[in-house]
């Protein structure tokens, strides 16, 4: 059924600078999908990577290719047909090792397929020579078919001296970029001398809404990225469906309504039905994402309303704080006045006690004078 993906991974893609043959030039802005494809019609393996609708890697694996690991997360290989050297920067060493293992496996498979092709070619040539007049025909040259371009020298792996910097510097800074979105800082509005029940209630609701908003934003970004990938897959599915329809028509015209053609048509129809079901699932997923976006907008509106309420509460708290400060000043002045009044009262009491004591002495003196007289 044509070319099918058999292994996929994600990596940052680079090509060697054609002018200097030393520096790496990034061909992808971020990590993209890199896949191995097998063409069952021609029995060839290819490495293909797309960024949008642009093919940034289209390399056919040949038996004389070599994949070289130049660091823990970076590997490269030379393609003489494309006259360039490709480099891949992976997020981890395990991804690099897995990709290298698949490269060696498919390289060996390509070598076996090429040998079988040579054997078939030699058998065909031998039978053709036996059927014709051997005296008038030149002998067939047997040997390996050279399919490499003049730029085969690019196939040699780049040494650390040919690439600028150390092993860690070979990978562009873009390969080390982690595509994450930082959540906005959740600032907490200050509440001093405020009502605990009101401020804590609105603060808790705001924190919960901010958390939900951050989660929905992250989910929305991830869903948007998935939607782009799904659109590409849907376009590929549609192209595959059209190709399958054309293939069914060709088979019906060439071979007629035979049992084999009918079975192939049944399989193709099943494949088309599966693709249509996948398309329907993707459309339902898009509808679900739209609903989530609408709910996110509702949360944004609620967030703005709560922020306004918190601002109003803060304003009321500031007014209450001003009134409290004024009352404290008045209380302090009242206390000072009462303390002064108490001091005055004490002094009057002391003076009164002194006068009473003097009057008592005077009375006693007068009483004694009265008794003596």
């Amino acid at each position: 059924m044509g070319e099918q993906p058999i292994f996929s991974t994600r990596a940052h893609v680079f090509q060697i600078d054609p002018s200097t043959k030393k520096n790496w030039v990034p061909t992808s802005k971020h990590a993209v999908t890199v896949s191995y494809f097998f063409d069952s019609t021609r029995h060839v393996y290819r490495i293909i990577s797309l960024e949008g609708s642009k093919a940034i890697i289209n390399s056919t694996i040949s038996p004389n290719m070599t994949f070289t690991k130049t660091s823990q997360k970076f590997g490269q290989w030379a393609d003489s047909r494309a006259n360039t050297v490709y480099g891949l920067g992976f997020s981890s060493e395990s991804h690099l090792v897995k990709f290298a293992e698949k490269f060696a496996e498919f390289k060996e498979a390509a070598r076996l397929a090429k040998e079988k092709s040579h054997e078939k070619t030699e058998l065909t040539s031998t039978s053709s020579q036996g059927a014709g007049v051997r005296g008038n025909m030149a002998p067939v040259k047997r040997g390996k078919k050279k399919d490499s371009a003049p730029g085969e020298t690019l196939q040699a792996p780049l040494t650390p001296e040919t690439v600028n910097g150390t092993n860690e510097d070979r990978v562009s800074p873009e390969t080390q970029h982690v595509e994450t979105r930082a959540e906005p800082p959740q600032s907490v509005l200050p509440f001093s001398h405020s009502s605990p029940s009101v401020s804590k209630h609105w603060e808790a609701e705001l924190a919960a809404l901010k958390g939900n908003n951050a989660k929905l934003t992250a989910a929305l970004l991830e869903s948007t990225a998935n939607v782009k990938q799904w659109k590409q897959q849907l376009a590929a599915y549609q192209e595959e469906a059209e190709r399958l329809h054309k293939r069914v028509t060709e088979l019906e015209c060439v071979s007629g309504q035979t049992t084999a053609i009918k079975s192939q048509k049944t399989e193709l129809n099943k494949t088309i039905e599966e693709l249509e079901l996948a398309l329907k699932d993707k459309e339902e997923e898009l509808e679900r994402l739209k609903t989530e976006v609408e709910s996110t907008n509702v949360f944004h509106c609620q967030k703005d309303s709560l922020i306004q309420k918190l601002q109003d509460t803060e304003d009321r708290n500031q007014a209450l704080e001003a009134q409290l400060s004024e009352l404290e000043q008045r209380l302090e002045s009242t206390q000072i006045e009462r303390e002064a009044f108490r001091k005055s009262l004490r002094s009057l009491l002391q003076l009164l006690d002194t006068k009473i004591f003097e009057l008592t002495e005077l009375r006693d003196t007068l009483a004694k004078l009265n008794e003596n007289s």
Side-chain angles (χ1 to χ4, degrees):
M1 294 179 64
E3 207 167 21
Q4 298 293 332
I6 51 181
F7 176 77
S8 297
T9 185
R10 291 186 66 82
H12 291 262
V13 180
F14 299 84
Q15 285 189 15
I16 200 69
D17 190 348
S19 58
T20 63
K21 301 294 183 181
K22 293 182 179 181
N23 300 325
W24 289 109
V25 178
T27 56
S28 63
K29 297 179 181 179
H30 49 79
V32 296
T33 301
V34 182
S35 303
Y36 286 101
F37 280 78
F38 176 64
D39 190 343
S40 58
T41 305
R42 297 186 298 163
H43 297 283
V44 296
Y45 294 87
R46 291 200 300 162
I47 302 175
I48 297 177
S49 179
L50 300 175
E51 186 175 31
S53 58
K54 178 184 176 183
I56 56 179
I57 297 179
N58 187 2
S59 177
T60 302
I61 299 177
S62 61
N64 55 0
M65 282 185 177
T66 302
F67 184 81
T68 306
K69 294 183 287 186
T70 57
S71 70
Q72 292 182 350
K73 297 182 181 180
F74 195 83
Q76 64 189 43
W77 78 95
D79 189 340
S80 58
R81 295 181 181 179
N83 194 23
T84 188
V85 179
Y86 293 104
L88 296 179
F90 296 88
S91 60
S92 64
E93 186 177 3
S94 60
H95 292 166
L96 172 61
V97 172
K98 186 67 174 178
F99 187 89
E101 291 175 353
K102 291 294 181 181
F103 192 98
E105 177 184 345
F106 300 144
K107 171 184 172 182
E108 181 65 18
R111 184 186 67 80
L112 295 175
K114 188 174 182 180
E115 290 179 355
K116 290 181 180 179
S117 177
H118 280 306
E119 290 176 359
K120 291 181 180 179
T121 304
E122 291 175 359
L123 291 174
T124 305
S125 300
T126 304
S127 61
S128 298
Q129 290 176 1
V133 182
R134 291 185 175 85
N136 295 328
M137 297 180 65
V140 178
K141 294 182 180 180
R142 299 183 179 181
K144 292 185 177 180
K145 183 179 179 181
K146 187 173 182 180
D147 54 357
S148 61
E152 191 66 30
T153 55
L154 287 174
Q155 189 172 344
L158 297 178
T159 61
E161 290 78 7
T162 60
V163 182
N164 289 345
T166 61
N167 289 340
E168 289 76 9
D169 294 335
R170 290 192 185 99
V171 183
S172 173
E174 295 184 11
T175 64
Q176 300 174 355
H177 174 66
V178 181
E179 300 178 359
T180 57
R181 182 181 179 88
E183 295 183 1
Q186 299 182 358
S187 59
V188 179
L189 295 174
F191 286 89
S192 60
H193 300 286
S194 62
S195 176
S197 60
V198 176
S199 60
K200 289 183 178 179
H201 172 71
W202 292 122
E203 186 176 357
E205 286 193 3
L206 179 60
L209 285 174
K210 285 184 177 180
N212 293 334
N213 185 29
K215 291 179 182 178
L216 288 172
T217 303
L220 180 60
L221 292 174
E222 182 179 1
S223 301
T224 303
N226 291 334
V227 165
K228 293 181 180 178
Q229 185 176 1
W230 291 338
K231 286 182 179 179
Q232 296 176 0
Q233 292 179 356
L234 289 176
Y237 289 156
Q238 291 174 353
E239 293 177 0
E240 182 70 11
E242 293 177 358
R243 190 183 68 79
L244 291 175
H245 280 299
K246 291 180 181 178
R247 181 62 177 169
V248 169
T249 305
E250 292 175 359
L251 291 174
E252 289 178 351
C253 294
V254 174
S255 302
Q257 298 296 329
T258 62
T259 305
I261 297 301
K262 287 183 178 179
S263 63
Q264 290 182 2
K265 181 179 178 181
T266 302
E267 293 179 358
L268 293 175
N269 289 332
K270 289 181 179 179
T271 305
I272 292 171
E273 291 177 358
E274 292 176 356
L275 293 175
E276 290 176 350
L277 290 175
L279 178 61
K280 185 177 180 181
D281 293 338
K282 300 304 180 184
E283 290 177 351
E284 292 177 354
E285 184 67 18
L286 287 174
E287 292 296 330
R288 186 183 65 83
L289 291 175
K290 289 180 180 178
T291 305
E292 290 183 357
V293 170
E294 292 175 357
S295 64
T296 303
N297 294 332
V298 173
F299 277 117
H300 277 297
C301 295
Q302 292 179 355
K303 174 187 173 183
D304 295 338
S305 176
L306 286 176
I307 290 176
Q308 184 62 37
K309 290 180 180 179
L310 286 172
Q311 186 64 36
D312 295 339
T313 304
E314 182 66 19
D315 295 339
R316 288 197 298 269
N317 288 337
Q318 290 179 357
L320 291 174
E321 288 176 358
Q323 293 179 2
L324 180 62
S325 178
E326 182 181 356
L327 290 174
E328 288 177 349
Q329 292 178 358
R330 291 173 60 184
L331 179 61
E332 185 178 358
S333 60
T334 303
Q335 289 177 349
I336 293 173
E337 291 176 356
R338 289 179 63 184
E339 188 65 26
F341 178 75
R342 287 178 181 176
K343 289 181 179 180
S344 301
L345 186 60
R346 288 193 195 98
S347 60
L348 288 174
L349 288 174
Q350 290 177 357
L351 180 61
L352 182 61
D353 290 338
T354 303
K355 296 299 181 180
I356 290 172
F357 180 74
E358 290 177 354
L359 289 174
T360 304
E361 289 182 347
L362 179 61
R363 180 181 177 280
D364 292 339
T365 303
L366 290 176
K368 288 179 179 181
L369 291 175
N370 188 21
E371 288 176 357
N372 294 328
S373 64

